[in-house]
Amino acid sequence: KELELETQLSQKLRSSLTRLGPTFVKVGQQLSIRPDLVSPVVLHELQRLCDAVPPFEDEIAMKVLAEELSLIMGDDDDDTTNRPKLNGKETHNNKILDVFEEMPQLVASASLGQVYKATLRSKND
C-alpha cells in the first residue's frame, strides 16, 4: 500500500512538473539522476521526463515563429529591441505563409523546444 501511494505521488509530481513548463521539466530531469536525493520509485517516474515530454501547443510555437520572422524581415522598423506583437492567429499564419510553402509540421519535441519541418517559399524576384 505504501509503494502504491509513493507511485501515485511520483506520477503526480511528474505531471505537475510537466504542466509547469520547461524549467520545471529540467528540474525533474536533474532530480531523475540523483538517487541520493529521491527514492527509486520517484527516480523511475522522473526519468520519464528524459524520454518523452509532450509537445506544447502548435499555436504557441507559430506565434513565436511569426514574431521572430517579423524581426528578421524588418517588419518592426529596424527596432530589434522590442519584439513585435502580432495579434490574432490569422496574422501569425499569414506571416508564416509569406516565408514557407505551407504551415510547418511538428517533427519532435523536447523539454526546451520543438522541431518543425517546412519548405521555404521560393522567391523568383
Side-chain angles (χ1 to χ4, degrees):
K1 182 131 181 146
E2 196 171 300
L3 179 61
E4 185 179 318
L5 178 60
E6 186 176 9
T7 300
Q8 288 174 353
L9 291 174
S10 298
Q11 290 169 347
K12 285 183 180 182
L13 173 62
R14 179 189 46 80
S15 177
S16 295
L17 292 172
T18 301
R19 275 194 317 276
L20 287 169
T23 302
F24 292 90
V25 169
K26 280 297 185 192
V27 169
Q29 289 173 337
Q30 292 301 311
L31 284 174
S32 77
I33 58 170
R34 294 297 306 268
D36 57 320
L37 297 177
V38 296
S39 73
V41 173
V42 174
L43 203 68
H44 177 73
E45 190 63 35
L46 292 179
Q47 286 170 351
R48 293 181 60 194
L49 293 173
C50 298
D51 298 330
V53 177
F56 52 86
E57 295 177 30
D58 280 345
E59 189 173 328
I60 295 169
M62 293 304 111
K63 180 175 186 244
V64 170
L65 177 59
E67 289 173 354
E68 293 296 323
L69 288 171
S70 290
L71 285 174
I72 291 168
M73 296 170 69
D75 292 353
D76 62 340
D77 300 326
D78 295 328
D79 180 11
T80 57
T81 58
N82 296 317
R83 174 175 274 188
K85 300 297 181 217
L86 298 175
N87 296 318
K89 185 176 180 179
E90 187 175 317
T91 305
H92 299 143
N93 291 350
N94 289 342
K95 176 56 65 184
I96 292 166
L97 290 173
D98 284 347
V99 177
F100 299 107
E101 297 272 336
E102 57 189 29
M103 291 302 289
Q105 300 296 310
L106 180 65
V107 175
S109 65
S111 59
L112 292 180
Q114 295 184 174
V115 176
Y116 285 83
K117 181 178 179 179
T119 304
L120 287 173
R121 186 174 293 285
S122 63
K123 298 281 185 181
N124 295 327
D125 298 330

